[in-house]
Amino acid sequence: DLGFKRERVIIMPFFLRNPGLWSQQSAIRDEILRVPGVESASVCHHRPGEGTIDFRKVHKDGGSPDGYKVVWTGIDSHFLETFDVDLVYGRNIALDDRWTEPDGRWGINILINETGARAVGWTPETSELLQFGRNGLVRIVGVVEDYHNQSLHAGIIPMMLYPADRAKVVYARANADNLPSTLEALGNAWKRFHPDRPFEYEFLNDRFDTFYRAEMTQRKIFTFFSVLAIVVGCLGTLGLVTYSARRRRKEMGIRKSL
């Protein structure tokens, strides 16, 4: 269990193909939501569970810069709904969840996963800010349940979810009814923003299947060479024992003849 739902989720690289569309993130999502058969949609910077990692260090404002190492993941306010991730404390975030301090530093409100909250020592009674970089501040306004942002074999890691104003992809969760018609309508929506490009999409399930097939292939190759190394080692040991036995028999024969 990855901790989120990936069934019938369609990935469309709207912003990878044209970063100039960043200013139209909300308009594009609204366009996708108007498509019959689409239940929810979200614009995000990273693909959940795929292994894409952007590590950052954060520390308590005014504290040691060593701080805590966390994964930094860009989402919008519809991410939790689209992937069925539970908010276990606090509130959701919005794209405009930002502010500027009197000293010129800027800040953003973020979500953190349960593992991350434990790692940084956050509790509901904690209201202190965390700092990253030279001038960045973050305020934790909500905690989400843990889900896998990497392979299932990698375990859960501390993660912060920030409002992504420069998304890469759009996710749309479709219902199971008449999926071909939904895809056709999504293609028409794509053409309105990418008139010169063919419709690009893939299912999140298919991407995961490819991801884990590659991982299984790597594991099989590793297992094969591990077994091969053991076999070679055993053959070497057997050869050494055989050689020693023959040598001892030869020495015993010489002693008897003397």
Side-chain angles (χ1 to χ4, degrees):
D1 181 14
L2 289 165
F4 62 89
K5 289 186 179 180
R6 57 187 175 120
E7 295 79 13
R8 305 189 315 278
V9 174
I10 303 161
I11 310 171
M12 295 164 285
F14 270 88
F15 311 102
L16 281 174
R17 298 296 172 256
N18 184 1
L21 294 174
W22 279 334
S23 61
Q24 301 183 58
Q25 283 183 192
S26 296
I28 289 174
R29 178 187 173 274
D30 291 344
E31 186 77 20
I32 297 301
L33 277 178
R34 281 193 284 269
V35 171
V38 171
E39 297 176 348
S40 59
S42 174
V43 294
C44 302
H45 191 266
H46 296 107
R47 297 180 174 97
E50 187 188 35
T52 303
I53 296 297
D54 180 11
F55 279 111
R56 304 283 181 93
K57 272 193 173 183
V58 297
H59 57 87
K60 293 181 179 179
D61 189 22
S64 169
D66 293 338
Y68 316 96
K69 192 176 182 180
V70 299
V71 171
W72 199 247
T73 300
I75 65 168
D76 69 356
S77 58
H78 307 282
F79 174 86
L80 303 183
E81 173 194 2
T82 302
F83 290 96
D84 197 23
V85 175
D86 286 338
L87 182 68
V88 299
Y89 181 83
R91 67 169 178 85
N92 200 355
I93 56 175
L95 287 179
D96 59 354
D97 253 333
R98 303 166 186 273
W99 79 90
T100 302
E101 290 284 297
D103 60 6
R105 294 184 298 172
W106 55 272
I108 54 176
N109 293 326
I110 57 101
L111 302 175
I112 193 168
N113 67 343
E114 294 168 303
T115 296
R118 290 191 295 269
V120 303
W122 185 88
T123 65
E125 293 76 25
T126 305
S127 59
E128 60 187 342
L129 300 174
L130 296 174
Q131 182 175 341
F132 71 98
R134 291 185 176 181
N135 300 308
L137 296 171
V138 296
R139 178 189 291 115
I140 299 170
V141 297
V143 180
V144 301
E145 66 178 350
D146 283 336
Y147 67 87
H148 286 269
N149 197 50
Q150 293 178 283
S151 161
L152 277 170
H153 311 295
I156 303 292
I157 52 181
M159 180 166 50
M160 289 185 171
L161 311 176
Y162 70 93
D165 57 346
R166 294 190 175 187
K168 289 184 178 180
V169 294
V170 178
Y171 294 97
R173 177 178 295 282
N175 61 41
D177 300 332
N178 206 359
L179 194 54
S181 295
T182 301
L183 288 173
E184 182 180 356
L186 287 172
N188 293 333
W190 170 278
K191 283 292 185 183
R192 282 190 277 277
F193 295 93
H194 294 286
D196 301 322
R197 282 186 173 273
F199 180 36
E200 297 180 46
Y201 75 93
E202 60 182 329
F203 285 93
L204 189 59
N205 256 343
D206 293 341
R207 176 172 282 275
F208 268 94
D209 290 342
T210 301
F211 178 66
Y212 283 107
R213 275 199 302 269
E215 188 175 79
M216 289 301 297
T217 299
Q218 290 175 351
R219 293 181 65 185
K220 288 178 180 177
I221 292 173
F222 177 78
T223 301
F224 170 77
F225 282 106
S226 297
V227 172
L228 181 61
I230 294 172
V231 171
V232 171
C234 291
L235 290 175
T237 302
L238 179 62
L240 181 61
V241 170
T242 303
Y243 172 76
S244 298
R246 288 179 178 176
R247 185 173 181 179
R248 292 196 65 182
R249 284 199 299 270
K250 185 176 180 180
E251 289 175 352
M252 292 175 64
I254 294 174
R255 289 174 182 173
K256 286 180 180 180
S257 64
L258 294 177

